[in-house]
Each structure stands twice: as C-alpha cells, then as structure tokens.
C-alpha cells in the first residue's frame, strides 16, 4: 500500500497510510453509533423499512440456515469422535466431553458462524451498498425526503446481526445434542452427568463471555463491510475497498477472540 504513493518520502507515505487507517476505524465507530441510535428509534421502523428489514432477514438467514447447521453437525461428529478416541487412548475419557464443549461450542462455532455470515451475506451486501451509492440511489432517496442510511443500510446491518446470532445459537444446540449422542448414545443414562458437566462449563462468567463474544462477532461482521461499502467510494478501487474492509474485520474478530480467551482462562 505504501508503494502506491509515488513522489512522497517514506515518513509521508507511512503518515498517509496511518491516517487512512485511523479515518477508516473512526468511520466504523461513527457508523456503529448511528446504527445504534437508529435501532433504538421507533421512527426507523416505518412501512418501507419494515418491508426491507423482513426481506433482508429472510434472505440473509433462511438460505444458509440448513447448510450451516449440517456443516456444524458434521464438524461436531468428527471432532467429538477424534477427542473421545484420543482421550480413551490416554485414559482421560472423563475429560473428553468437557473438552469438546469448550473447544466446539465456546470457541469454534461462534467464530465459524461469524465468518460464514460475513462471506455469504454481509460482504456481498457491502458491495451492493457501494453499487447503490455509485448509481445514485442514495441521492434519489434524499431528493424524496428519505434517509438512505435508514432505508438501505439499517436493514442490512440488522439482518447480518440476526443471521450470525441465529446460526451460532442453533449450531451450538445441535453440537451439544450430537456431543451427547456421540459419547452416550441414544439413551438417558448419561443425562445427569452431562447436565452436571454442562453447568460446570457454562458458569455465569463463561456464559456472559460467550454471549458477549457472539454479539460482538455479529456486530463486527455486520458493520465493517457496510462501512467499507458506504465510505470507501472514490478513495480506492472496489477491490482495495473490499480487501481493506476484510482486513479490518479479521483484525476485530481476532481481537474479540483473544479477549474472550483471556476472560475464560486467565
């Protein structure tokens, strides 16, 4: 990126790059604050917005729900089998199920759901938002007296958050059921010990970290691609804009994951 700024000294190139990153992060924070205000405002849910919101909620969740649930089920079965067999070989079978739940439910599924929603829904929605802006859709809405952020951006952000939370919640339930079946089979003999172990894993602090992590994951994958599509017009090519938004999104997801690991295990 620095090499694309000809005619400038190295400190000037570094300064320009740092300024671009600072502006990009500020725009994300500003857009998040605007979306939060709009979400809490009853006037944001007019007839046109409700129709667009319902359409995006369906399109961003329903087509991917079955596929991601099947993928999560396959991952759960494979991972449960690997962990159980490995634990048995080392005489640690009593810890196998707890390890599966900690790795699969607490860490792997929320991150996988966020990445899946980002690749399947929110990044394409950010590109679509950029095209709408370039074709004059936002200017047309302003001339009609409508707010383009409320009409075009807000439904996409809410739908992204909803899709991420829904996929993560449903897949966690499926993983918990399949983990039990993979260890105890189709009987209720292990249910008391399983529920006891589940309560030990999901302590109040761990549950709070899990819920907050899933929520922040969904906000990151919903907001950052929208900010890239809304603000990066005219500054760089569309490919550079998408790559920049993708890099910022991965950085935020990594930061959230590291913070959650520190909260759970330190």
């Amino acid at each position: 990126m620095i090499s694309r700024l000809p005619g400038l000294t190295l400190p000037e190139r570094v300064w320009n790059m740092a300024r671009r990153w600072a502006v990009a992060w500020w725009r994300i924070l500003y857009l998040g604050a605007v979306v939060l205000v709009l979400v809490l405002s009853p006037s944001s849910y007019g007839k046109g917005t409700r129709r667009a919101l319902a359409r995006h909620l369906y399109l961003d969740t329903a087509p991917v729900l079955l596929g991601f649930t099947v993928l999560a089920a396959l991952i759960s079965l494979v991972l449960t089998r690997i962990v159980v067999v490995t634990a048995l070989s080392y005489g640690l079978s009593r810890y196998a199920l707890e390890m599966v739940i900690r790795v699969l439910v607490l860490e792997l599924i929320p991150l996988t759901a966020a990445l899946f929603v980002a690749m399947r829904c929110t990044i394409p929605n950010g590109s679509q938002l950029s095209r709408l802006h370039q074709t004059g859709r936002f200017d047309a809405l302003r001339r009609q007296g409508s707010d383009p952020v409320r009409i075009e951006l807000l439904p996409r952000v809410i739908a992204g958050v909803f899709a991420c939370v829904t996929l993560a919640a449903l897949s966690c339930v499926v993983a918990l059921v399949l983990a039990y079946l993979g260890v105890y089979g189709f009987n209720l003999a292990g249910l008391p010990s399983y529920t006891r172990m589940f309560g030990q894993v999901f302590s109040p602090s761990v549950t709070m970290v899990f819920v907050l992590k899933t929520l922040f994951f969904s906000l990151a994958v919903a907001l950052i691609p929208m900010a890239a599509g809304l603000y990066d017009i005219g500054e760089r090519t569309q490919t550079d804009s998408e790559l920049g938004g993708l890099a910022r999104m991965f950085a935020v997801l990594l930061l959230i994951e590291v913070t959650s690991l520190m909260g759970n295990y330190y």
Side-chain angles (χ1 to χ4, degrees), residues 4 30 35 38 61 64 83 85 89 93 147 174 188 196 218 221 241 259-260:
R4 297 182 185 180
Y30 173 77
V35 169
L38 292 178
T61 304
V64 301
V83 172
V85 172
S89 64
S93 57
D147 184 5
V174 172
L188 301 178
R196 188 181 309 110
S218 62
V221 300
S241 175
T259 304
S260 70

Side-chain angles (χ1 to χ4, degrees), residues 67-77 104 109 167 171-172 174-175 178:
F68 184 79
T69 303
V70 173
L71 177 63
L74 291 176
I75 294 175
S76 302
L77 290 174
L104 186 63
I109 286 182
L167 292 185
S171 300
C172 285
V174 172
L178 291 179

Side-chain angles (χ1 to χ4, degrees), residues 147-170:
D147 184 5
V149 174
R150 184 173 300 181
I151 298 298
E152 296 292 345
L153 186 141
L154 183 62
R156 289 175 169 86
V157 172
I158 296 177
V161 173
F162 178 80
C164 187
V165 172
T166 302
L167 292 185
L170 180 60

